[in-house]
Amino acid sequence: MKEHKKKLKLKVSAISEGTVIDHIPSESLFDVISILELDKTRNMITFGANLDSGKLTNKAIIKVSNQFFENDDINRIALIAPHAKLNIIRDYEVVEKKVVEVPDRVIGIVKCFNPKCITNSEPITTSFSVISKQPITLKCKYCEKITHEKQMVIR
Ligand code: CTP
Ligand code: ZN
């Protein structure tokens, strides 16, 4: 690896144990933190945004010490960080890499696009079945209306 590239990687310190979530679009950083409830964790978190990356011009990275996620929880971020990569760190080494996958159901996270939907007037958690994963197409359990990827708004 070239020396300047090594230095870029060290902008956020290495961790000894935990999970590194890499290749997050910078604009989704705080939504990822909230979806994974990292705003409530007591574990050490470090993050960086607007870092240089080959694939994304604008990537963010989150490092959570001593915390490991279930696949179902990780897949909840697929809607907003489809290219995110997880690195499981044990004793400073990357022991496993995982990619995220769009789940079959989406609970919460997204608003129903139908302004008349009950979930937009009552405090009800949204629930959608995923009709298509590419592009993402969601069907509301309450009003059966479709929310397309381009219309997706995070709650
Ligand atoms: N990392 C870390 N702490 C460690 C080991 C790795 O924070 N003890 C971070 C690295 O900084 C990097 C990510 O975990 O952001 C993945 O590490 P590695 O697989 O070594 O990097 P790459 O080969 O560049 O991974 P990829 O191309 O899959 O993104
Ligand atoms: Zn609805």
Side-chain angles (χ1 to χ4, degrees):
M1 199 187 296
K2 290 213 180 83
E3 205 52 38
H4 73 279
K5 269 194 127 181
K6 252 187 210 163
K7 285 199 180 121
L8 269 178
K9 295 210 148 197
L10 291 175
K11 273 184 181 160
V12 184
S13 303
I15 59 172
S16 59
E17 295 278 325
T19 307
V20 173
I21 310 167
D22 205 353
H23 303 286
I24 301 166
S26 283
E27 68 268 22
S28 301
L29 172 65
F30 291 99
D31 287 330
V32 170
I33 287 175
S34 125
I35 289 170
L36 295 178
E37 301 189 340
L38 293 175
D39 45 349
K40 299 185 185 105
T41 186
R42 298 182 61 87
N43 293 317
M44 186 178 86
I45 304 175
T46 51
F47 59 80
N50 302 321
L51 308 171
D52 300 305
S53 152
K55 267 176 247 158
L56 295 174
T57 44
N58 225 343
K59 78 155 185 173
I61 190 166
I62 304 172
K63 302 188 180 189
V64 195
S65 292
N66 302 314
Q67 193 166 327
F68 304 92
F69 300 89
E70 300 291 339
N71 286 350
D72 283 355
D73 290 333
I74 276 312
N75 289 340
R76 289 165 59 80
I77 72 170
L79 296 183
I80 54 164
H83 305 295
K85 269 196 204 165
L86 274 88
N87 301 272
I88 314 302
I89 314 291
R90 298 277 187 192
D91 196 15
Y92 285 100
E93 297 291 329
V94 177
V95 293
E96 196 185 344
K97 282 182 185 275
K98 292 183 183 179
V99 292
V100 298
E101 214 180 282
V102 177
D104 296 326
R105 286 205 74 79
V106 173
I107 315 292
I109 305 172
V110 182
K111 258 171 74 83
C112 179
F113 190 66
N114 172 15
K116 293 191 180 137
C117 181
I118 187 161
T119 61
N120 284 316
S121 54
E122 304 283 335
I124 297 173
T125 304
T126 57
S127 178
F128 304 89
S129 54
V130 178
I131 305 284
S132 156
K133 296 190 178 187
Q134 179 81 324
I136 294 165
T137 311
L138 306 173
K139 186 177 180 187
C140 178
K141 173 176 135 183
Y142 294 96
C143 70
E144 302 200 316
K145 293 280 189 292
I146 300 294
T147 300
H148 294 283
E149 184 167 325
K150 286 189 191 126
Q151 303 163 330
M152 273 181 10
V153 175
I154 304 301
R155 290 195 121 187

